[in-house]
Amino acid sequence: MNNFEFCNPVKVVFGKGSIARLSALIPEGSKVLMVYGGGSIKKNGIYEQVTDALKGFDVTEFPGIEANPHYETCMKAVEIVREKKIDFLLAVGGGSVIDATKFIAVSVGFEGDPWDILSKGGQIKSALPLGTVLTLAATGSEMNERSVISRVSTREKLNFASPLIFPKFSVLDPEVTYSLPARQVANGVVDSFIHVVEQYLTYPVNAKVQDAFSEGLMRVIHEEGLKVLDQPNDYDIRANLMWAATNALNVWIGQGVPQDWSSHRMGYSLTAQFGLDHAQTLAILLPGVMTYMFKEKQVKLARMGEVVFGITEGSEEERAHKTIAACEDFFRRMGLKTRLGECGITEKDLDALAAPVDKQGWKLGEHHNIDSKVAREIMALRL
Ligand code: NZQ
Ligand code: ZN
């Protein structure tokens, strides 16, 4: 196991009716900016629950955060925060709303153009405190220190991380996920599953605790994920998926182990240039990474196949191959596509899709051996 330092300061309030706890979680007397998305919270009762709980606070609303949140929209919120002297941010939504709120939090006190935080690693010196009411189980943003923002004008999507953007609290009520469209439920299942894979499927370092947690999470997400579309109002399925998704990326299982994240980074350009949902990019690319890096990942692929998919027959190499097929089959059963061609992307698009890897100076994968050239080859496997 590798060395690590671990701290996750996020307070989680989990379960039915927990939105009512908001008034006790936000510091008394706060001037709150309530950040939300395109309006789903006004159709499913979440808006009423939140505004009821916020009675007595000075609240300004900022709706209109897009899926794959835009830098341009966040900057409008930053102006309002400065003008109204807001001192607490409340995100009510999925990963996009939470990520946007994190970016707003660090942009308010940033000197210069906050896009530099994403594109040049611009140093963050301060952040407004924020809390979240999660409405979509997927990204883990509710309990981590990461954020992903898109810039429409340049068709770029980039991420940043800072301990200053851990939410102060996150409210997780599984019942609020009943209203999600099937496509978003499936996206959440696939995204959270692949978060575990990115931290697990590398090479063994004898990290038994991390491996056992990861294997448990993958098993739960696979089992419950296959049930949820047929039983959308089953509380236990929703609760298990929600808590699994949070644990899949609250930085816990990734401590002391090598991590990959190449499918995620390569996937950014599929969203920025072709508008594919985040999870959709991963369902296409992950089997490509597994195939291209087969030798490097073979030991853990075989182990994952046994524990998650019950694959016990054949040599280690055969079981590892079966695991790749089982993953792709899982994503398809969830209703996602697994080929670039199914999304209208062809060979001629690959240079532009792979280019950001070199542009950002990324060397992706647990062996840091994926540059734009290799990324293009991996993408070519998925045409
Ligand atoms: O905008 P509204 O109207 O709220 O509708 C949203 C949106 O259209 C809808 N939705 C959310 N909760 C709902 C609901 N509809 C009905 N009922 C509810 N309860 O779902 C749509 C998608 O929402 P979004 O927040 O975009 O989805 P998700 O949570 O999957 O977030 C995706 C974003 O998170 C980033 C992705 O790149 C993408 O930008 N990620 C963030 C990470 C992080 N911060 O750690 C890690 C991830 O790997 C990921 O990259
Ligand atoms: Zn993800």
Side-chain angles (χ1 to χ4, degrees), residues 137-207:
T139 64
S141 187
E142 66 278 8
M143 202 178 174
N144 72 33
E145 76 318 13
R146 298 164 193 203
S147 165
V148 193
I149 302 294
S150 298
R151 187 163 191 169
V152 187
S153 57
T154 53
R155 298 175 85 202
E156 286 174 290
K157 180 173 183 178
L158 295 172
N159 74 315
F160 75 102
S162 162
L164 294 174
I165 57 169
F166 274 115
K168 298 293 169 206
F169 64 80
S170 281
V171 175
L172 277 58
D173 178 349
E175 288 190 315
V176 308
T177 63
Y178 292 168
S179 60
L180 280 163
R183 169 177 146 202
Q184 298 302 343
V185 177
N187 279 346
V189 167
V190 170
D191 187 26
S192 55
F193 185 84
I194 296 179
H195 290 158
V196 184
V197 174
E198 297 274 28
Q199 298 163 89
Y200 170 83
L201 192 73
T202 57
Y203 53 89
V205 291
N206 202 8

Side-chain angles (χ1 to χ4, degrees), residues 18-250:
S18 3
I19 293 177
R21 291 268 297 116
L22 272 178
S23 59
L25 295 165
I26 300 175
E28 219 178 300
S30 297
K31 292 186 81 168
V32 180
L33 187 74
M34 175 180 165
V35 183
Y36 55 97
S40 68
I41 65 165
K42 292 209 166 157
K43 295 187 201 129
N44 54 18
I46 298 172
Y47 177 84
E48 285 74 19
Q49 288 188 60
V50 171
T51 46
D52 277 357
L54 291 182
K55 281 195 178 121
F57 286 94
D58 178 349
V59 181
T60 303
E61 294 184 23
F62 189 85
I65 300 293
E66 312 80 4
N68 306 302
H70 298 174
Y71 158 81
E72 291 83 350
T73 308
C74 294
M75 292 315 291
K76 289 183 189 151
V78 170
E79 276 174 39
I80 294 174
V81 170
R82 287 182 180 144
E83 189 186 307
K84 299 207 166 199
K85 304 206 179 338
I86 303 279
D87 54 20
F88 195 92
L89 306 178
L90 180 67
V92 184
S96 293
V97 170
I98 299 175
D99 284 6
T101 306
K102 289 173 169 178
F103 184 61
I104 296 163
V106 296
S107 296
V108 171
F110 190 79
E111 287 166 24
D113 181 355
W115 184 252
D116 290 353
I117 296 169
L118 297 135
S119 64
K120 299 182 186 158
Q123 208 197 339
I124 299 164
K125 295 195 183 127
S126 66
L128 282 181
L130 67 111
T132 90
V133 175
L134 181 67
T135 65
L136 196 171
T139 64
S141 187
E142 66 278 8
M143 202 178 174
N144 72 33
E145 76 318 13
R146 298 164 193 203
S147 165
V148 193
I149 302 294
S150 298
R151 187 163 191 169
V152 187
S153 57
T154 53
R155 298 175 85 202
E156 286 174 290
K157 180 173 183 178
L158 295 172
N159 74 315
F160 75 102
S162 162
L164 294 174
I165 57 169
F166 274 115
K168 298 293 169 206
F169 64 80
S170 281
V171 175
L172 277 58
D173 178 349
E175 288 190 315
V176 308
T177 63
Y178 292 168
S179 60
L180 280 163
R183 169 177 146 202
Q184 298 302 343
V185 177
N187 279 346
V189 167
V190 170
D191 187 26
S192 55
F193 185 84
I194 296 179
H195 290 158
V196 184
V197 174
E198 297 274 28
Q199 298 163 89
Y200 170 83
L201 192 73
T202 57
Y203 53 89
V205 291
N206 202 8
K208 294 187 177 181
V209 175
Q210 294 88 326
D211 284 351
F213 270 103
S214 296
E215 287 162 2
L217 287 171
M218 285 188 287
R219 247 188 16 238
V220 169
I221 297 168
H222 176 242
E223 270 171 28
E224 304 301 288
L226 290 175
K227 292 184 213 156
V228 67
L229 296 179
D230 292 332
Q231 301 172 63
N233 291 347
D234 184 305
Y235 181 81
D236 290 330
I237 294 174
R238 294 291 193 170
N240 280 305
L241 282 175
M242 193 174 225
W243 190 224
T246 300
N247 281 279
L249 195 44
N250 64 359

